[in-house]
Amino acid sequence: MFEFTSSFWSWYIAIPTIAGILAMFWLIRWLSVDHKGKPGEQVETMGHVWDDDLEEYNNPLPRWWLNLFYITLFFGIGYLVLFPGLGSYKGLLNWSSQGKYEQEMQEAEEKYGPIFEEYKAIPAQVLAENEDAIKIGERLFSNYCATCHGADARGVPGFPNLRDNDWLYGNKPEQIHLSIAQGRQGFMPAWKDILNDDQIASVAEYVRHLSGLQTDADMISAGKEVYSNSCVACHGAEGKGNQQLGAPNLVNNIWLYGSSSEQVVKSIRDGRIGKMPPHKEFLGDAKIHLLVAYILSISETSPEAGKSATDD
């Protein structure tokens, strides 16, 4: 069934394409030959008259103009012979966008690969002071990381700020390298089926209290009890988090999804799922090493270091 379906769509594309080209040949031939008047015979008009005596005659196209149509059609035929365009037919040149991409990547690797490998041998902390390496790392960041973390690396809700000193999985070069190379899967379970609304609201206020935010004092005591029973395993007794699990530090007033009561309640009630995709397969260790150096170079350098871009 699969082979039949694939063949069907191939012919579905190829047959109308070929028929369309043949139809264009016939149409041009019909319009330019069949409607010519006989020698000495007055050419008929199309019945359109402007300004009393300006009529449209049924004359054939000028030869040079007609030839342009034929050239266009022959060009199209040549293109379809050389390049893919007729269903599954690959063309005589066997060209493909994937093949072109791989060729360009191979050429880039041959040209720039040795440069990346040279930097790979230098510790990331040292590269973080190297202006040329940082420029390369910044370009890599703009191409592969800015979509999620922002062009200035300050993050957006759900994607960490990379300029502060808060690290879900640690700030050592090897830990950052691991996050980029293998990716991360963050998971905050939903508690709506375990805790009631009052418990969720109270523990949310307690968590906000831990970070120094203004909270409802009457709810803190009840929230602390809920926290001790349900949250300590991941976030720790003092709320400082667990980098082995990627559990956030709750006492530093840096918030991945926002610090408002509504956002904290939502995080506890519905849970959160965050995914950092792995990049090793298409970046390689050498480029990741430069990215690590760039991230180290920008962390804690901002005048507002330590303040998350998602704080409310």
Side-chain angles (χ1 to χ4, degrees):
M1 179 62 181
F2 176 78
E3 292 182 357
F4 169 77
T5 303
S6 300
S7 176
F8 169 79
W9 288 112
S10 179
W11 286 109
Y12 180 81
I13 295 171
I15 293 176
T17 301
I18 296 173
I21 293 175
L22 294 176
M24 290 299 101
F25 272 109
W26 174 83
L27 179 63
I28 294 172
R29 186 69 178 171
W30 179 67
L31 290 175
S32 60
V33 176
D34 294 349
H35 287 255
K36 286 183 177 179
K38 296 179 181 180
E41 183 180 350
Q42 184 178 0
V43 179
E44 64 180 3
T45 69
M46 300 298 294
H48 303 149
V49 181
W50 295 271
D51 298 331
D52 296 329
D53 59 354
L54 183 60
E55 297 180 293
E56 179 183 0
Y57 285 89
N58 189 18
N59 285 317
L61 290 173
R63 178 57 58 181
W64 65 268
W65 195 343
L66 185 64
N67 289 337
L68 287 178
F69 283 114
Y70 284 122
I71 290 172
T72 301
L73 289 173
F74 282 116
F75 175 84
I77 293 172
Y79 182 92
L80 292 174
V81 171
L82 296 175
F83 296 94
L86 294 174
S88 58
Y89 174 67
K90 296 181 179 180
L92 295 180
L93 297 181
N94 200 30
W95 184 94
S96 69
S97 57
Q98 178 66 25
K100 183 64 175 179
Y101 168 77
E102 292 175 353
Q103 177 187 347
E104 292 178 353
M105 292 299 292
Q106 180 63 31
E107 292 173 354
E109 182 62 27
E110 292 174 357
K111 183 176 181 180
Y112 300 109
I115 300 175
F116 294 139
E117 290 298 326
E118 181 180 345
Y119 283 124
K120 182 181 176 183
I122 304 174
Q125 297 95 325
V126 177
L127 284 182
E129 305 292 333
N130 185 309
E131 185 176 347
D132 292 335
I134 295 310
K135 288 181 179 179
I136 297 175
E138 184 177 13
R139 287 193 290 268
L140 290 170
F141 184 90
S142 298
N143 289 331
Y144 299 106
C145 313
T147 301
C148 294
H149 294 283
D152 60 358
R154 296 185 185 278
V156 294
F159 299 94
N161 181 351
L162 303 179
R163 288 184 175 268
D164 58 26
N165 194 32
D166 182 55
W167 301 84
L168 288 174
Y169 296 94
N171 63 349
K172 294 180 180 180
E174 58 269 21
Q175 292 169 323
I176 302 175
H177 191 287
L178 185 64
S179 294
I180 300 173
Q182 298 186 11
R184 300 289 187 178
Q185 181 69 60
F187 177 70
M188 163 72 178
W191 290 86
K192 59 186 176 182
D193 295 329
I194 301 173
L195 303 176
N196 59 42
D197 290 343
D198 291 337
Q199 290 174 312
I200 291 175
S202 64
V203 75
E205 288 301 290
Y206 176 72
V207 168
R208 297 179 72 249
H209 162 75
L210 287 177
S211 66
L213 295 173
Q214 184 175 358
T215 58
D216 187 336
D218 296 334
M219 302 176 69
I220 293 176
S221 178
K224 182 177 181 180
E225 182 179 354
V226 176
Y227 181 91
S228 299
N229 294 330
S230 305
C231 310
V232 169
C234 292
H235 295 282
E238 298 179 351
K240 294 184 177 181
N242 186 334
Q243 292 183 348
Q244 296 295 323
L245 301 175
N249 184 339
L250 303 177
V251 303
N252 58 7
N253 199 23
I254 294 176
W255 300 84
L256 192 59
Y257 294 95
S259 61
S260 67
S261 297
E262 293 78 8
Q263 288 294 345
V264 179
V265 166
K266 178 176 176 58
S267 294
I268 299 170
R269 183 186 64 234
D270 301 329
R272 301 285 189 180
I273 297 178
K275 183 176 179 61
M276 163 72 179
H279 287 69
K280 183 175 182 177
E281 183 175 347
F282 57 91
L283 282 183
D285 287 330
K287 293 179 183 177
I288 292 176
H289 187 66
L290 283 163
L291 274 172
V292 172
Y294 172 70
I295 292 171
L296 289 174
S297 74
I298 63 174
S299 63
E300 296 188 306
T301 59
S302 168
E304 299 182 2
K307 183 179 186 301
S308 170
T310 60
D311 283 351
D312 289 344

